[in-house]
Amino acid sequence: MIGRRPLHRIVDVHAHLGPYSLFFIPEPDAATMVAVMDRTGTDVTVLSANRAIQQDAHLGNSQSLAAVDAYPDRIAAYAVINPWQEPERELERLAGDERFVGVKVHPSLHRYPVTGARYAPVWEFAESTGCPVLSHSEHLSPYDAPVLFQTVAERYPGTSIVLGHAGITPAGVDEAIEAARRYDSLWLEVCGSQMTGPLIRAMVDQVGSGRVLFGSDFPFIDQRMSLGRVVCAPLTESQRQDVLSGNARKLFRWRPLPDGPRERGVGQ
């Protein structure tokens, strides 16, 4: 035990809510998430509902907002945009509701490429408003391989696009790093079952600590495991704090974020 003050400020920019059809997730609810956040010292987690990603974007986005309403100082929401389900309607909803802090897209599950015309309203909205977009990215995917985001960044230079999982595999991380080195509008996010401390260090070394973000993929991956990878990565404390919280606080369109320390923190 080393006191009750958290060692790091933490914002988790990649989490999910609710059951998932492809495999079982125990306790995928907001209350369980917040209980884990209390253990890790995480201030805020940004989530998207699995219902929104898999079946019904409008209904699932409403579930995300319900979680925000239940825990307004701890949870924020992405508006999931499905290119096959009236994207303009959900973007209009996003624009008018400050509980949404960003856009979430999942091209691999929606089986539609990020370069396709149906995603144009998302990139146009992001460019005109400054609202960031978190996208799944996966090495060799025909829908969201990291290299494809270079085309999006070229067409819409004012966007801020977070490459979720940074390509997933070690080869995907290399590809994501190369894309982010070419375009300042591309950010890297570190969650994934193949992620390691040295890969996180490579992102920071080659892109800079100012465009790397902590995400857990909770509850697919326990937040404690994802957080441990960053806490134990070979980074300076300044770099680590950029990744864990500082960059997210600058990027997203927050309502005021809580400033005081949590009761418990990493390492306690």
Side-chain angles (χ1 to χ4, degrees):
M1 179 77 80
I2 49 177
R4 300 184 66 83
R5 184 177 179 83
L7 299 182
H8 302 97
R9 304 302 304 278
I10 301 164
V11 176
D12 185 343
V13 305
H14 190 158
H16 298 279
L17 176 73
Y20 188 61
S21 71
L22 300 182
F23 49 81
F24 174 69
I25 307 171
E27 299 182 303
D29 58 282
T32 299
M33 181 177 296
V34 170
V36 173
M37 292 166 62
D38 288 342
R39 297 286 300 275
T40 61
T42 299
D43 287 336
V44 180
T45 293
V46 191
L47 57 76
S48 55
N50 288 321
R51 175 67 64 88
I53 295 170
Q54 285 202 293
Q55 292 101 14
D56 186 323
H58 187 81
L59 177 58
N61 287 337
S62 295
Q63 292 176 343
S64 296
L65 292 181
V68 177
D69 290 342
Y71 301 96
D73 294 329
R74 309 301 302 282
I75 290 176
Y78 288 109
V80 173
I81 306 300
N82 185 326
W84 304 107
Q85 295 180 1
E86 301 182 77
E88 290 87 353
R89 179 183 68 169
E90 291 306 295
L91 287 170
E92 183 177 350
R93 183 186 189 190
L94 160 64
D97 196 324
E98 66 177 2
R99 292 172 294 177
F100 291 119
V101 301
V103 174
K104 163 73 174 182
V105 296
H106 203 306
S108 284
L109 278 179
H110 296 154
R111 301 183 67 82
Y112 190 78
V114 293
T115 53
R118 287 179 176 271
Y119 274 126
V122 172
W123 311 128
E124 291 166 359
F125 178 87
E127 188 169 47
S128 65
T129 64
C131 185
V133 180
L134 170 66
S135 177
H136 180 86
S137 68
E138 185 173 348
H139 184 50
L140 301 180
S141 167
Y143 308 109
D144 52 27
V147 68
L148 296 177
F149 290 92
Q150 295 184 109
T151 299
V152 179
E154 188 73 33
R155 292 175 182 170
Y156 305 95
T159 58
S160 293
I161 305 170
V162 180
L163 304 187
H165 313 295
I168 297 183
T169 67
V173 171
D174 288 346
E175 184 183 339
I177 287 172
E178 181 60 27
R181 290 181 66 186
R182 290 174 179 268
Y183 294 95
D184 290 343
S185 59
L186 301 180
W187 299 59
L188 304 180
E189 181 270 312
V190 303
C191 74
S193 58
Q194 299 185 47
M195 190 58 61
T196 65
L199 288 176
I200 295 170
R201 173 61 183 270
M203 295 183 206
V204 169
D205 282 348
Q206 297 186 54
V207 177
S209 65
R211 279 192 289 135
V212 181
L213 298 154
F214 168 64
S216 66
D217 215 15
F218 189 75
F220 297 136
I221 302 172
D222 192 288
Q223 189 185 65
R224 288 161 286 200
M225 179 179 290
S226 294
L227 182 58
R229 292 176 176 138
V230 180
V231 170
C232 296
L235 305 175
T236 69
E237 286 309 300
S238 175
Q239 291 170 335
R240 199 179 330 275
Q241 195 56 63
D242 282 348
V243 175
L244 288 176
S245 173
N247 297 333
R249 290 171 183 273
K250 297 173 185 175
L251 178 63
F252 287 82
R253 56 174 218 171
W254 302 109
R255 297 179 294 173
L257 276 173
D259 235 356
R262 295 286 160 207
E263 279 196 2
R264 300 182 64 84
V266 178
Q268 298 179 329

